[in-house]
Amino acid sequence: MGTAAGDVDERAPPVRFEELTRQTVPSPGGGDAAVSADWWRGATIYQVYPRSFADADGDGSGDLAGVRSRLGYLADLGVDAIWLTPWYPSPMADGGYDVADYRAIDPAFGDLAEAEGLIADAFAMGIRTIIDVVPNHVSSEHAWFRAAVAAGPGSPERDRFWFRDGRGPRGEQPPNGWTSNFGGGAWTRLTSPEGTPEQWYLHLFAPGQPDLNWDHPDVRREYQDILRFWFDRGVAGIRIDSAALLAKDPRLPDLPDGTPDAGAHPYVDRDELQDIYRGWRRIGDSYGGDRVLIGEIWLADVDRFVRYLRPDILHSAFNFDFMTAPWDARRLRRSIESTISAHAVVGAPPTWVLSNHDVTRPVTRYGRTDTAFAFDTKRFGTPTDLGLGTRRARAAALLAMALPGAYYLYQGDELGLPEVEELPLERLQDPMYARSGGVDPGRDGCRVPIPWSGDIPPYGFGAAGGRTWLPQPDDWGRYTVNAQLNDPDSMLSLHRDALRLRRDLPDLGDGALEWVRSEPEVIAFRRGPDLVCVTNLGTSPAHLPRHTGVWVTSRPMEGGRLPPDTTAWLRLRH
Ligand code: NOJ
């Protein structure tokens, strides 16, 4: 590791994105999808969790050849870009978010040539590729961390991380009281080869994910070089993992009682981050202006959130306020309003996200009494009405797709997959489950391999009769792509129809929204002269604004009214 910038050019000539962008990009929606610097502002971005998407080599785990083989499906679905969760060599202590080498591909997924082939194939079909970069921490198998452990206390190798002596007479207490995001303490104590307890190191996530010291110049240089490495290979964007956590107060103080002032938390949303990302932005911009930086930023304060989206910092960030909000008209309207007005201040387009590989699948979540999402409330055995949840998830998808900005779709949500809550406990892999002492079911339930065809596992995901890394339920035959493709009422058809419209109607995607007066339980807004989106979150059918036709609905109308838990895109012109 620690490759210097100069090493990169000595490798096999990378696929240059500049060469790719000279090609004409075919648009699945027809017309000329001209290569535009602003492509991301209103894009539909599909999240691929490669381990669970498609398994070409039949080992039960998805791979990049599998993704390549299904690009036609994604082009037909109408997506503009794919975001792949980490594909690097990893011991998989946290599903690949523990990266051992940022310039290679995990052999279980393929190799660098396969990744370059995927980027090029996707681009030829009009689909850009966004990858995940994890800067807050590396894997404990990363060369830097191994060197730091070997070099011992006080060594320069340890300065790239947060190593500290413990408190207490024998250093038996962790250096401070910070807790891991996955439960338990945020510090692990090393033991020397002779068996004596040694220093502690910081990990805001699992012990296999030591946090980097972003005050160290090596760390800053290394990530800038990693960005160049992947931009040189044609990636269109970088999703920045845990983007608000990198900078730490070097005194490592205990957390204050109550909420610290903005920017004063010892490790969340510190002001130093702005400069780090300003440097990244300069690198992105040096590639012709169409590469994007997308932050994974969990912040309750939307005004602090949009500071990361000023024109010289990141392009975009996931809007988790909308994603975690309950199925409640007032709460969702408030979220939409505050999101749009805060983004307008910095000139960035909002993003609309209903789920990802970390959260409960929408059809399950919206079918519960508590429809909000929070990490600390997940429990086994929560009663769920999947019929209700599915109706609401359909309505939520149409609502999110109609809002101004970019739309993120997590693999399998277009099939209406439920959270798999009956996984055998011994097959669970997420550290959240283990570190909660088995109280929190963790995130495996939304990461089960995708069903493509057939009536029995693995449903076309991989080799017939093969075992998948997480078992698929026996009743998933009805959720397969093949079972849904020709059913006009399926979740898949709804997504295909709406995403096609989202591409074809010029007023969808980036742009402005105009609120339309409605009953309190209804959310209604206009996008341009020819579309009104209406969502009924109430319990009785709702009146519709005057319209001339219907573009698409999540459920049939009832006597000219909009049923509960339904969204319609109405036409206004003849
Ligand atoms: C956010 C990722 O989405 C999640 O899956 C991961 O566990 C943490 N960051 C730590 O890398």
Side-chain angles (χ1 to χ4, degrees):
M1 205 22 55
T3 315
D7 293 351
V8 171
D9 294 336
E10 289 160 28
R11 302 185 185 194
V15 184
R16 297 259 163 204
F17 197 66
E18 288 82 327
E19 282 160 29
L20 292 174
T21 52
R22 265 183 241 124
Q23 302 166 5
T24 310
V25 185
S27 162
D32 175 25
V35 179
S36 130
D38 282 348
W39 66 270
W40 51 277
R41 294 184 65 94
T44 297
I45 300 169
Y46 184 95
Q47 181 189 351
V48 175
Y49 193 77
R51 214 176 173 189
S52 298
F53 190 64
D55 171 21
D57 66 7
D59 66 355
S61 191
D63 42 49
L64 300 191
V67 180
R68 278 178 95 174
S69 74
R70 299 290 184 181
L71 285 172
Y73 166 76
L74 296 174
D76 285 348
L77 185 58
V79 310
D80 302 302
I82 49 177
W83 149 37
L84 295 116
T85 54
W87 54 9
Y88 317 101
S90 165
M92 294 282 167
D94 178 23
Y97 283 93
D98 45 323
V99 179
D101 178 357
Y102 290 80
R103 295 181 183 78
I105 301 294
D106 195 292
F109 290 144
D111 57 19
L112 206 48
E114 190 79 60
E116 290 177 357
L118 166 57
I119 295 165
D121 285 0
F123 195 80
M125 295 173 125
I127 299 174
R128 288 174 162 81
T129 300
I130 295 166
I131 60 160
D132 219 313
V133 165
V134 186
N136 179 65
H137 45 266
V138 297
S139 160
S140 50
E141 293 299 311
H142 188 283
W144 275 6
F145 191 73
R146 291 164 69 113
V149 171
S155 61
E157 286 84 349
R158 288 207 174 181
D159 289 346
R160 294 175 179 144
F161 297 90
W162 296 103
F163 280 92
R164 290 289 184 275
D165 294 332
R167 292 180 297 184
R170 289 173 303 283
E172 72 281 13
Q173 304 286 334
N176 68 24
W178 295 1
T179 52
S180 151
N181 279 290
F182 291 159
W187 295 90
T188 290
R189 192 172 195 185
L190 293 179
T191 308
S192 74
E194 297 75 44
T196 9
E198 227 239 54
Q199 282 195 304
W200 298 73
Y201 68 90
L202 174 70
H203 51 85
L204 290 182
F205 294 92
Q209 297 169 292
D211 277 50
L212 287 164
N213 170 9
W214 273 85
D215 295 332
H216 198 297
D218 285 0
V219 174
R220 295 200 181 208
R221 253 197 318 268
E222 171 69 354
Y223 277 87
Q224 295 195 347
D225 191 41
I226 291 166
L227 294 192
R228 288 193 198 94
F229 180 89
W230 289 108
F231 283 144
D232 282 345
R233 277 159 183 78
V235 309
I238 306 284
R239 180 261 189 194
I240 308 166
D241 184 68
S242 304
L245 303 183
L246 281 49
K248 315 280 182 322
D249 179 339
R251 295 170 300 134
L252 305 179
D254 272 314
L255 298 190
D257 294 333
T259 316
D261 292 340
H265 190 285
Y267 61 81
V268 180
D269 182 32
R270 292 181 63 80
D271 291 334
E272 302 92 284
L273 288 168
Q274 306 284 324
D275 234 33
I276 295 173
Y277 295 133
R278 227 172 245 124
W280 289 26
R281 178 63 177 254
R282 281 194 292 273
I283 293 174
D285 286 351
S286 71
Y287 283 80
D290 61 354
R291 312 303 170 96
V292 297
L293 300 171
I294 306 158
E296 189 220 8
I297 298 175
W298 291 84
L299 286 183
D301 179 343
V302 70
D303 298 318
R304 290 290 297 183
F305 178 89
V306 299
R307 287 174 78 242
Y308 291 84
L309 305 181
R310 288 175 289 175
D312 60 339
I313 309 184
L314 306 182
H315 297 78
S316 184
F318 296 96
N319 173 9
F320 294 129
D321 185 63
F322 181 78
M323 181 184 79
T324 53
W327 187 245
D328 174 90
R330 287 174 191 80
R331 178 67 184 80
L332 281 171
R333 196 184 298 105
R334 211 166 54 232
S335 178
I336 296 167
E337 274 170 350
S338 64
T339 298
I340 292 176
S341 57
H343 282 71
V345 172
V346 292
T351 62
W352 307 100
V353 189
L354 290 171
S355 88
N356 62 34
H357 64 294
D358 292 331
V359 308
T360 312
R361 291 269 190 195
V363 301
T364 300
R365 177 159 63 90
Y366 289 135
R368 292 183 165 164
T369 311
D370 179 4
T371 50
F373 176 79
F375 283 107
D376 52 5
T377 56
K378 282 184 77 176
R379 292 293 175 268
F380 287 99
T382 311
T384 304
D385 176 345
L386 270 187
L388 176 66
T390 303
R391 288 195 294 281
R392 288 175 171 169
R394 291 171 67 95
L398 283 193
L399 166 64
M401 284 184 220
L403 288 166
Y407 172 64
Y408 282 83
L409 174 58
Y410 174 48
Q411 71 178 34
D413 282 353
E414 82 278 21
L415 303 177
L417 297 184
E419 185 85 2
V420 182
E421 301 187 282
E422 314 75 28
L423 290 168
L425 297 182
E426 68 281 4
R427 301 284 295 272
L428 297 183
Q429 309 217 358
D430 184 8
M432 276 191 160
Y433 167 68
R435 287 180 68 88
S436 71
V439 173
D440 180 337
R443 301 164 294 178
D444 294 301
C446 65
R447 299 174 177 181
V448 171
I450 295 296
W452 292 92
S453 58
D455 293 323
I456 51 167
Y459 306 106
F461 168 75
R467 182 177 152 112
T468 49
W469 74 279
L470 285 173
Q472 299 159 302
D474 289 335
D475 64 349
W476 269 20
R478 63 194 153 130
Y479 291 113
T480 64
V481 171
N482 274 9
Q484 297 197 40
L485 258 186
N486 297 318
D487 171 2
D489 298 327
S490 69
M491 188 70 123
L492 180 57
S493 296
L494 178 75
H495 279 78
R496 284 161 59 98
D497 293 348
L499 290 179
R500 200 164 304 131
L501 283 168
R502 200 171 182 278
R503 276 206 164 172
D504 291 348
L505 300 177
D507 292 313
L508 289 177
D510 191 25
L513 158 161
E514 195 187 316
W515 291 103
V516 171
R517 274 167 66 96
S518 64
E519 299 155 52
E521 296 301 326
V522 170
I523 294 177
F525 55 87
R526 190 174 171 134
R527 298 296 317 271
D530 201 16
L531 190 147
V532 166
C533 175
V534 190
T535 304
N536 181 5
L537 295 97
T539 50
S540 48
H543 292 283
L544 289 169
R546 203 189 298 275
H547 57 282
T548 57
V550 175
W551 291 111
V552 62
T553 58
S554 66
R555 228 155 45 106
M557 307 283 189
E558 282 171 9
R561 301 222 184 146
L562 191 66
D565 300 315
T566 307
T567 295
W569 292 2
L570 304 176
R571 293 187 79 140
L572 301 179
R573 288 183 183 155
H574 288 287

